[in-house]
Amino acid sequence: MTVPETFSLDENPDWPTQGVYEYADHYSSQKEVVSFADFINTSHVHANYDHVIIGAGPIGAALAYKLARDRPDGRLLLIEKSWTEPDRIVGELMQPAGCQAMERLGLGNAFSGIGAVPVHGYHIAYSGRHLFVPYMMRPDGQGRFRGNSFHHGRLVMNLRAACKAQTNITCLEASAVELIGEVTKGGRLETVRGVRLGPSRTTDENGTGNGPIVCPRGLTFVCDGIMSQFRKHLHGAPVEPISHFCGFVLEHEPAATAEYFDGPTGATEHLARPNEKSIRENPLPMPHNGNVLLDGVGPVLLYQMSERETRVLADIPGSLLPSEAGGHLRRVLRQSLEAAAPKSQFPGLQAQLMQALDDSRRIRCIGSRFIPATGKSAHGAVWLGDALNIRHPLTGGGMTIGLWDVVILTDLLASTASTAALSEDPRTLRRIKAQWHWRRRPRALVVNVLSVALHALFAADSQELGLLREACFDYLARGSHFTMEPSGFLSGLLPNPMLLLFHFFSVAFLAIRLRISGRSTAYTGGSLPVRIYTAFYTLYIAASVILPVMWSELQP
């Protein structure tokens, strides 16, 4: 048993959530933003842009900033429908590998001034047991890696502020209506020459069908996010949701300290039991961590967006969402939250969850999908972030993958002599895109496959998947590399697909042992021959969960 130690939750004054952001003056400023009307009536529309970037979300803004800094003599056009602060219920937690990417892009200070909260690891609750899985140790021995959780819109505004401060970026409020280029006889977009622009709002007097076309000297980057209108050029039929995340906000007092049971093995089955005072301050089992509760209808996630606000995300498996109009959705959520956070295990938390659910005027929901990346895209354009590749948001890896897409791509583009070289020599661009696709793949594959596989286990709808979920928890509780390497997968710090496959099937063989020995509490009953048969059938189920997803990620 490890000895509990007490730490200040934000003990490092140099942690980037502290201090003033260097571009804070541009946070809400609109003077740097060019309207569609001003754009078409001035010389902006005739400017010779090096690159055009569609979408000023976290990926598009980070890309624009890095390109602008790499080529100060170049000109970039950054297109966004609205430059006001966005309001989303996902993209609110960045894993340590994503924070690493932010540092590489020169944006490590972007968490400052927005009330962001350091994240130390995961608290997982399952069947009355509690497990703390911290992030990996730094190679230099200076403590563990950390993540960040925050209001999504505030981080985006900080990233946009950095773009507004660059004189070689034109920040345009407009719609990207259409990609312009050559189309094959089969109707497939083969080459992108530019983008047709339209007004930012459909109520504007200007029509969208005959808007101006901007053709960059270099590339058109498609970064328009999870609802991308241009993903259709990569994938055909729409993809049905795996599940829906339903979110609301839990308000509470800040917690100054919390107990971390963080022994040398990196795992413990202790829970930081709050006293009556700390329950009133902060009801979370482990503040400043991702809290994952597995006993609901689907997994329930709780992570802080600030010291006083926690996002509650309850997963409802299946492609169909219960209706909110008749109160069915709230009944399902209440049932899930009561099961996930029983009063006996979480003093004070269940009551506050129920109160916050009742007080929420609107339950915000978003479908969770899996769309693998493809290397077959139109010449002259690059799709990045969620416009290219979507995974289940359970593991919070979306921004991590998107930001590393930017890191790898900008490093490759920096090696070219000039922007003109990309258009003058098509082979150079094809080579860069091929290198980028293969270099991004290991990290993207690990995070993407793990997100889908863990959701299948955590939202178990069969005895076999329930057995695998139980085995997964027991496996993580072993400590040492059984805990820390899976933690590395979750945090994006260990992009090793073969090691992921090894650990996943190690969990599957542990499930076999639990079932045959009769020690499983998730799959009980049956004679020894029946247990042997169902145990190996569980191995088949495990393979059917991970191998098809991994195979789809390995496609060119």
Side-chain angles (χ1 to χ4, degrees), residues 134-146:
Y135 288 135
M136 299 175 71
M137 292 293 294
R138 295 180 181 274
D140 58 8
Q142 300 298 311
R144 296 189 181 275
F145 287 100
R146 292 181 179 178

Side-chain angles (χ1 to χ4, degrees), residues 90-210:
V90 292
E92 297 167 325
L93 187 149
M94 189 176 292
Q95 300 290 358
C99 297
Q100 280 186 327
M102 292 279 280
E103 293 284 350
R104 288 277 297 270
L105 296 170
L107 291 164
N109 197 37
F111 301 106
S112 300
I114 60 173
V117 174
V119 178
H120 301 272
Y122 307 91
H123 160 254
I124 307 172
Y126 167 67
S127 193
R129 300 165 64 189
H130 302 271
L131 183 65
F132 177 50
V133 180
Y135 288 135
M136 299 175 71
M137 292 293 294
R138 295 180 181 274
D140 58 8
Q142 300 298 311
R144 296 189 181 275
F145 287 100
R146 292 181 179 178
N148 258 314
S149 54
F150 40 80
H151 282 269
H152 172 84
R154 295 177 187 174
L155 178 67
V156 170
M157 293 300 283
N158 263 4
L159 295 176
R160 290 178 180 177
C163 294
K164 294 175 189 176
Q166 310 308 309
T167 57
N168 56 342
I169 299 179
T170 299
C171 299
L172 173 62
E173 186 169 71
S175 297
V177 177
E178 179 186 8
L179 296 178
I180 303 299
E182 282 80 46
V183 179
T184 64
K185 291 182 179 179
R188 184 177 64 86
L189 185 65
E190 187 174 49
T191 302
V192 174
R193 300 296 183 192
V195 57
R196 184 185 300 278
L197 301 177
S200 59
R201 299 174 182 83
T202 56
T203 55
D204 287 357
E205 294 181 1
N206 298 297
T208 60
N210 58 352

Side-chain angles (χ1 to χ4, degrees), residues 130-336:
H130 302 271
L131 183 65
F132 177 50
V133 180
Y135 288 135
M136 299 175 71
M137 292 293 294
R138 295 180 181 274
D140 58 8
Q142 300 298 311
R144 296 189 181 275
F145 287 100
R146 292 181 179 178
N148 258 314
S149 54
F150 40 80
H151 282 269
H152 172 84
R154 295 177 187 174
L155 178 67
V156 170
M157 293 300 283
N158 263 4
L159 295 176
R160 290 178 180 177
C163 294
K164 294 175 189 176
Q166 310 308 309
T167 57
N168 56 342
I169 299 179
T170 299
C171 299
L172 173 62
E173 186 169 71
S175 297
V177 177
E178 179 186 8
L179 296 178
I180 303 299
E182 282 80 46
V183 179
T184 64
K185 291 182 179 179
R188 184 177 64 86
L189 185 65
E190 187 174 49
T191 302
V192 174
R193 300 296 183 192
V195 57
R196 184 185 300 278
L197 301 177
S200 59
R201 299 174 182 83
T202 56
T203 55
D204 287 357
E205 294 181 1
N206 298 297
T208 60
N210 58 352
I213 297 173
V214 177
C215 298
R217 292 193 301 160
L219 294 168
T220 298
F221 297 99
V222 181
C223 311
D224 55 344
I226 194 170
M227 303 303 292
S228 173
Q229 63 174 318
F230 300 119
R231 192 186 296 117
K232 62 187 178 183
H233 297 299
L234 301 180
H235 305 278
V239 178
E240 288 294 318
I242 303 171
S243 67
H244 288 81
F245 259 135
C246 302
F248 58 92
V249 176
L250 177 66
E251 296 182 354
H252 49 72
E253 293 299 314
T257 60
E259 292 175 322
Y260 288 85
F261 298 94
D262 187 8
T265 62
T268 176
E269 292 198 44
H270 280 279
L271 172 65
R273 289 281 184 182
N275 56 36
E276 287 302 317
K277 181 176 182 295
S278 64
I279 289 173
R280 291 193 299 271
E281 290 177 345
N282 189 313
L284 297 179
M286 281 193 175
H288 287 210
N289 285 277
N291 292 270
V292 186
L293 315 180
L294 298 181
D295 293 313
V297 173
V300 175
L301 307 183
L302 300 98
Y303 53 84
Q304 291 174 259
M305 300 184 294
S306 68
E307 289 289 0
R308 296 177 179 273
E309 298 165 290
T310 287
R311 172 68 70 193
V312 181
L313 286 179
D315 182 82
I316 299 181
S319 59
L320 297 178
L321 184 68
S323 170
E324 185 175 3
H328 184 41
L329 176 61
R330 289 181 184 259
R331 286 194 295 272
V332 172
L333 288 176
R334 179 175 289 274
Q335 172 192 348
S336 184

